[in-house]
Amino acid sequence: MEKLKYQKLVNDTTPKPKKMKHSLIAFISGGLLGAICEILKLILVNVYDMKITDASSIIIFILVIVACFMTAFFDFDKWVIKFKAGLIVPITGFAHSIQSSALDYKKDGLITGLGANFFKLAGSVILYGIVSAFIFCLIKVVFYG
Amino acid sequence: MASFIYKDLYINNFYSIAGKNENNGILKNVNKYINDFYYGEKTIEDSEIKMQKEVLNNLINTKTDLIVGGDLMNQITATSSSNVNNNISFLGVYNACATFVESMIIISNFINGKSIKEGISITSSHNLASEKQFRFPIEYGAQKPSYTTFTTTGSVGCVLSKNKSNIKIKGSTIGSIVDMGIKDANNMGAVMAPAAVKTLKEHLDYTKTSVNDYDIILTGDLGSYGTKLFKILLKEDYNINIKNHIDAGSIIYKKEQEKYSGGSGPVCLPLILFNNILQNKKYKKILAIATGSLHSPMLVNQKHSIPSIAHLISLEVTNDNNI
């Protein structure tokens, strides 16, 4: 069979991912996680008299700690497969990616293993996060003062 | 094309170790199962080396002249490390999931050419070690498409010589590298199916046989989607209708284990061959085609298409007493 014909055959026979179903699961699971965080925030603001900005920071802090803890001691990877991007898009995914790289490379030494591979997956998030933040700040300063 | 026919060449002994997931599958009479991925070692790499060492310890004897083998780890270090200081000549080979049959063919030709008398072929793979090597960190749990395969954990070795036994090696064909321009490293079935078809056709032409002359044609790890393509290609290119085909990767796990489209890895084919097909008295004439997807994560990231290879070995069980 010719190359192009074969590639077309492969394209036609390979099952397509169920994007609609996955997005719906992610929408619901991510929404639930967001709702839990919102309730926590309201508790912090109303019961402990915190400022809203402080409460948000503390929530992020809690999410990171919980995600790292779950990755290290429980099956967070299996939950991610089940609940899709709903668990990855919040800061939990970022913490989880760092924690999983760290677990993989901890035996390869502190410098050559853990240190070098710590941001293996999260590195692009940090880099492009900083770059896009810089560009948007530039636009804001130039056009809106 | 290099095909060979051997007159008196036999598999004298084999030993296999399989992992926890494989234990829950369809394998029978595996010599040993390991219940956790670490096998009492500190790292997953060490556990793969330990598995291979154990297989070798059970197979090496005073007559062993040569060991040929390979695995999926970087620079085939698991096989090299497991052969340290055993004072036996060693050749390391790599053809991804076709490594085991490749090493069997090398030893067969050495024995057939009377260069050596007895050789051991060995391979191993470890699910977590190859996840770390080829894909994402283990605990990351990346989303995978349903057509991807799950690397089998285990180690298998076998002893080949001219001493008579009931498993005879009749012939072999060394495959050539085929690249059909598939770039998706998750879709290894589609990458490897054309190579399997090509090698099978070359062997049938060389031996002047047809697929119906064999009781079973066993492919390595095409997975359920690759199997579909394998059959379509055979039908369209050579007008061969294949009914006696089994794919080791597709059957190694049960459906409820949810391992995507099946198992893969160099141990997938030998585990099924030795612990399922050869234990079944129904199968006398066996063609085993090991397929390998020769990609590296680096070249896949650079958008190269993935080359693949398939090696074939033809076996015949001569009497009813299986070893």
Side-chain angles (χ1 to χ4, degrees):
Chain A
M1 197 177 279
E2 278 172 12
K3 253 188 179 183
L4 287 176
K5 200 180 162 198
Y6 182 68
Q7 284 167 15
K8 194 177 174 298
L9 174 75
V10 170
N11 262 337
D12 294 345
T13 46
T14 343
K16 303 276 172 290
K18 296 165 185 159
K19 282 186 186 163
M20 198 61 209
K21 188 186 156 197
H22 292 178
S23 333
L24 202 71
I25 295 174
F27 179 75
I28 294 169
S29 59
L32 273 177
L33 190 64
I36 293 169
C37 293
E38 190 62 33
I39 292 169
L40 272 176
K41 198 174 97 182
L42 286 176
I43 292 174
L44 285 181
V45 170
N46 293 324
V47 181
Y48 294 98
D49 279 340
M50 268 185 197
K51 280 186 208 161
I52 287 187
T53 45
D54 289 351
S56 304
S57 307
I58 285 182
I59 296 292
I60 288 172
F61 181 72
I62 291 172
L63 279 180
V64 168
I65 296 281
V66 168
C68 286
F69 188 78
M70 292 295 177
T71 309
F73 297 106
F74 297 95
D75 290 339
F76 194 78
D77 48 333
K78 282 177 189 153
W79 303 345
V80 168
I81 291 172
K82 226 176 227 173
F83 297 110
K84 315 286 172 198
L87 285 189
I88 285 287
V89 174
I91 194 82
T92 44
F94 187 77
H96 170 58
S97 73
I98 289 176
Q99 180 73 18
S100 54
S101 306
L103 283 171
D104 255 22
Y105 292 96
K106 67 176 178 186
K107 297 269 164 55
D108 298 12
L110 283 177
I111 306 293
T112 50
L114 197 124
N117 294 291
F118 200 61
F119 295 107
K120 203 179 177 194
L121 298 168
S124 356
V125 181
I126 295 176
L127 175 66
Y128 297 113
I130 292 172
V131 170
S132 52
F134 176 76
I135 292 170
F136 284 117
C137 273
L138 209 65
I139 292 171
K140 194 185 165 219
V141 170
V142 171
F143 292 105
Y144 302 99
Chain B
M1 184 186 74
S3 291
F4 311 96
I5 287 175
Y6 310 116
K7 271 193 177 153
D8 47 344
L9 187 63
Y10 302 89
I11 295 177
N12 297 113
N13 193 6
F14 55 79
Y15 193 89
S16 34
I17 296 179
K20 184 171 61 174
N21 290 307
E22 293 69 31
N23 188 6
N24 299 329
I26 63 149
L27 294 176
K28 300 169 201 163
N29 306 334
V30 172
N31 299 78
K32 192 169 187 181
Y33 288 110
I34 62 167
N35 282 325
D36 73 319
F37 279 121
Y38 284 88
Y39 199 18
E41 294 293 314
K42 275 190 172 166
T43 65
I44 43 181
E45 287 79 12
D46 280 341
S47 89
E48 187 170 343
I49 294 167
K50 191 178 172 186
M51 279 196 293
Q52 272 210 29
K53 272 189 179 162
E54 201 165 330
V55 170
L56 282 173
N57 285 341
N58 280 289
L59 295 177
I60 289 178
N61 56 53
T62 48
K63 289 176 189 162
T64 310
D65 297 316
L66 175 70
I67 296 173
V68 183
D71 57 276
L72 290 182
M73 220 184 273
N74 262 346
Q75 291 87 30
I76 55 165
T77 38
T79 316
S80 314
S81 302
S82 59
N83 280 288
V84 166
N85 291 339
N86 62 7
N87 281 327
I88 298 170
S89 304
F90 169 73
L91 281 177
V93 292
Y94 179 81
N95 258 182
C97 313
T99 302
F100 189 72
V101 170
E102 182 191 11
S103 57
M104 277 174 88
I105 295 175
I106 292 173
I107 293 173
S108 301
N109 285 357
F110 271 125
I111 295 175
N112 203 39
K114 295 185 181 150
S115 314
I116 59 166
K117 284 186 174 149
E118 190 176 303
I120 294 176
S121 161
I122 180 140
T123 193
S124 70
S125 62
H126 193 296
N127 180 267
L128 299 188
S130 51
E131 281 292 310
K132 189 173 158 185
Q133 166 96 54
F134 288 100
R135 299 173 195 108
F136 289 104
I138 300 157
E139 289 292 331
Y140 186 60
Q143 305 281 320
K144 287 180 184 170
S146 60
Y147 50 80
T148 191
T149 46
F150 184 87
T151 310
T152 315
T153 305
S155 178
V156 182
C158 70
V159 180
L160 278 69
S161 77
K162 286 196 178 231
N163 302 333
K164 278 206 165 146
S165 83
N166 50 359
I167 307 169
K168 190 178 178 188
I169 302 177
K170 287 196 76 185
S172 67
T173 293
I174 300 179
S176 50
I177 294 184
V178 178
D179 187 343
M180 294 296 260
I182 308 291
K183 292 179 181 175
D184 185 358
N186 281 318
N187 202 352
M188 291 200 287
V191 171
M192 299 185 294
V197 171
K198 188 163 183 275
T199 305
L200 174 61
K201 176 68 181 159
E202 282 173 0
H203 188 79
L204 293 177
D205 285 351
Y206 183 79
T207 53
K208 295 194 177 65
T209 49
S210 79
V211 284
N212 296 325
D213 294 335
Y214 299 93
D215 296 324
I216 184 168
I217 289 161
L218 182 75
T219 49
D221 47 3
L222 295 175
S224 46
Y225 298 106
T227 306
K228 218 189 267 176
L229 290 166
F230 176 71
K231 286 181 177 169
I232 294 175
L233 281 176
L234 268 180
K235 174 88 185 127
E236 287 209 357
D237 286 0
Y238 304 112
N239 201 17
I240 296 174
N241 255 330
I242 190 166
K243 282 179 187 145
N244 46 358
H245 168 252
I246 287 182
D247 181 60
S250 312
I251 60 165
I252 193 163
Y253 300 113
K254 288 176 184 159
K255 248 195 179 153
E256 59 267 23
Q257 286 182 278
E258 290 182 359
K259 299 291 180 211
Y260 312 103
S261 96
S264 65
V267 290
C268 192
L269 176 106
L271 274 180
I272 290 286
L273 178 67
F274 291 131
N275 302 305
N276 203 292
I277 303 291
L278 288 178
Q279 307 290 338
N280 193 334
K281 289 177 181 172
K282 216 167 65 183
Y283 304 125
K284 299 280 180 209
K285 291 181 172 179
I286 302 157
L287 277 191
I289 311 167
T291 47
S293 156
L294 305 172
H295 68 280
S296 77
M298 198 201 317
L299 287 193
V300 169
N301 286 343
Q302 291 173 9
K303 304 278 184 287
H304 278 249
S305 57
I306 303 171
S308 67
I309 195 159
H311 299 302
L312 182 148
I313 200 151
S314 165
L315 304 174
E316 189 173 288
V317 183
T318 46
N319 60 39
D320 284 339
N321 304 320
N322 286 327
I323 58 169

